[in-house]
Amino acid sequence: MRLIFLGPPGSGKGTQAKLLSQRMGLLHFATGNILREAIDKGTPEGRRANPYMANGQLVPDDLVNDIVRARFRSSDKPTQFVMDGYPRTLTQALSFDEILKEQGLDLNAVIFLKVADEEIVRRNSARWTCMNPACGATYNTAFRPPRQTGRCDVCQQLLFQREDDKAETIRKRLQVFHELHADVLRHYQERNLLAEVPGTGDVEAIYARIGKVLGK
Ligand code: AMP
């Protein structure tokens, strides 16, 4: 199965993509995680991405396209995957089309998780992340709080609020999302790949909706 997950930041696409990858044995390809890891490691890509990410802006298309292309050309290239957070612009979608064509891979579906803006701001500003980079677990104080306030359930480290989870950064990201995503959605709609799924309700209810769309 080869899937793309689209949706505003905080729509729950990361959670759903992760679940789906675990349950269906797909690679969870999350460009946000790859970029954060690059920043933590201080690689050239990380240094270039850092100021954009801290301001809630998208990193330049060529940077993220190069990362994705390199991975799909590598010896352990993904063949069964769920893309989470990529493509985010039409330029990225076109580049990804080329990469997939080059590798002889077809997409099965593009899932768009639909959630209203006010709901996104409410949810995202409630998101807390484990400080331990090896863990990176995320919590939502509104609907998936940690057992102990401010501490990770998995590794007991402190939780912190990512710069890009703060309300002002979220509003900027939503603006960027709306400006750019219309083209991406249209692109996949024209290829009859797009399926819109309401991203509200609990995690399993949303998962079941996605499963139905995928015929599982
Ligand atoms: P995410 O974890 O998907 O919410 O991504 C966090 C941040 O990483 C975004 O706000 C962007 O700055 C950057 N990012 C992740 N994926 C992309 C992408 N496909 N294109 C541009 N920037 C990206």
Side-chain angles (χ1 to χ4, degrees):
M1 186 76 76
R2 289 181 281 275
L3 305 171
I4 294 177
F5 261 68
L6 301 176
S11 55
K13 67 182 158 49
T15 305
Q16 292 296 332
K18 202 168 170 182
L19 263 189
L20 213 76
S21 68
Q22 285 164 352
R23 294 181 185 175
M24 293 175 62
L26 313 175
L27 175 83
H28 179 200
F29 199 121
T31 43
N33 291 348
I34 294 172
L35 289 165
R36 274 187 290 276
E37 205 176 295
I39 290 174
D40 288 343
K41 286 186 181 156
T43 66
E45 288 92 353
R47 281 200 297 276
R48 196 172 156 214
N50 194 17
Y52 297 96
M53 289 181 72
N55 281 313
Q57 293 170 322
L58 294 185
V59 307
D61 285 332
D62 66 305
L63 174 60
V64 73
N65 285 338
D66 285 353
I67 291 173
V68 174
R69 191 179 300 105
R71 183 65 209 274
F72 274 83
R73 283 181 178 167
S74 70
S75 53
D76 67 337
K77 59 187 161 212
T79 53
Q80 304 280 315
F81 55 81
V82 44
M83 302 304 288
D84 170 10
Y86 179 94
R88 268 180 159 90
T89 65
L90 186 58
T91 306
Q92 292 179 17
L94 294 171
S95 171
F96 195 44
D97 282 353
E98 262 179 39
I99 297 167
L100 292 176
K101 196 169 167 202
E102 177 192 282
Q103 299 300 325
L105 302 170
D106 282 330
L107 289 172
N108 295 91
V110 178
I111 309 281
F112 176 58
L113 273 189
K114 203 172 179 191
V115 183
D117 280 8
E118 320 83 72
E119 172 69 8
I120 292 293
V121 173
R122 192 184 68 80
R123 281 188 196 181
N124 276 37
S125 49
R127 185 157 73 168
W128 291 76
T129 304
C130 178
M131 274 184 74
N132 173 5
C135 172
T138 56
Y139 300 87
N140 190 298
T141 50
F143 63 86
R144 202 160 53 90
R147 282 193 290 272
Q148 195 189 340
T149 306
R151 288 247 174 226
C152 179
D153 289 352
V154 183
C155 73
Q156 313 307 315
Q157 282 273 348
L158 288 174
L159 302 177
F160 77 108
Q161 194 157 38
R162 273 170 31 188
E163 196 55 43
D164 50 343
D165 288 337
K166 293 182 179 165
E168 202 188 299
T169 317
I170 296 160
R171 290 205 179 86
K172 273 194 228 160
R173 289 171 77 194
L174 270 175
Q175 201 184 333
V176 173
F177 173 81
H178 288 304
E179 278 164 17
L180 298 171
H181 245 64
D183 285 345
V184 177
L185 293 179
R186 200 171 314 114
H187 178 75
Y188 291 117
Q189 196 157 32
E190 282 166 8
R191 279 154 188 75
N192 283 326
L193 286 167
L194 190 69
E196 209 172 278
V197 174
T200 46
D202 74 39
V203 170
E204 290 298 340
I206 300 168
Y207 187 85
R209 275 178 220 142
I210 294 167
K212 216 169 178 181
V213 163
L214 298 176
K216 297 280 160 194

